[in-house]
Amino acid sequence: MKNFKKEKTLVIIKPDGLQRSLAGEIIKRYERIGLKLVGLKMTVPNEEMIEKHYTLDPEWVRITGEKTIKGYKDKGMKPPTEDPLKITKILLKRLKKYMSSGPVIAMVWQGAHAVAIVRKITGGTEPLASDVGTIRGDFVLDSYEMSDVSERCIRNLVHASGSVKEAEDEIKHWFKEDELINYRLVQEQILYDVNLDGILE
Ligand code: ADP
Ligand code: MG
């Protein structure tokens, strides 16, 4: 049987998240839903680390370019180019600059549906279009259009793995095995256990 409790995902509070003094607020949102923090480090990543992070999945280049084009078209706007690969090539350069500009906090969160739950709480890539109630929808106001005009990356406070496979690869990229801690949280009983005997005295 699938062990739901064991699913893990990677979250990075990006340099703007720290500079906006939102680390506590961001951590709180993943914590209060019931996920368990099993790894955490503060670091200043170099450009090589970031390039590797975003190219662990060879499909990311195409998918991200296509997503950007769709983001423009959904608003009835013309994308800067129709070539998804061209978009991501420029983007990767900007991402390296953005993500290595200051300290970040990398974290591993564990629990049932960790990847999907964290993406839901984080919100969509473009803050202008991300839902109210999400981190990117509540705390930042950037857009594809505005970031393009200033030739920079979208500043959206956090990174969150997009799939279980992506999470596995990214966690290995950011953490050594012995940097992740196996432990029990007392609240796991009420979140996962079938038997609730022992609550009443
Ligand atoms: P997500 O972080 O939501 O998974 P992607 O993996 O598609 O998004 O892109 C990685 C990061 O690159 C985004 O979080 C954002 O900071 C930036 N980004 C993505 N697409 C663009 C774009 N078209 N213009 C500027 N920045 C972008
Ligand atoms: Mg992504």
Side-chain angles (χ1 to χ4, degrees), residues 9-91:
T9 192
L10 181 85
V11 171
I12 302 170
I13 303 179
K14 296 179 176 181
D16 53 327
L18 260 108
Q19 295 302 320
R20 295 275 314 279
S21 299
L22 288 169
E25 176 67 43
I26 290 166
I27 291 172
K28 180 180 85 182
R29 288 179 172 226
Y30 300 124
E31 192 178 34
R32 69 183 181 185
I33 201 157
L35 292 171
K36 175 163 70 177
L37 185 59
V38 297
L40 180 141
K41 66 169 75 164
M42 189 176 188
T43 174
V44 181
N46 61 25
E47 294 201 357
E48 192 194 336
M49 181 83 183
I50 298 305
E51 167 135 17
K52 260 202 203 130
H53 166 84
Y54 281 109
T55 50
L56 286 168
D57 174 9
E59 285 290 285
W60 176 84
V61 170
R62 182 183 52 80
I63 293 168
T64 300
E66 287 172 358
K67 195 165 78 177
T68 302
I69 292 169
K70 186 173 181 299
Y72 271 97
K73 290 190 173 166
D74 284 351
K75 294 192 207 70
M77 294 163 68
K78 203 172 161 312
T81 151
E82 291 282 346
D83 180 352
L85 304 188
K86 236 186 229 167
I87 289 186
T88 323
K89 193 167 170 226
I90 300 168
L91 172 63

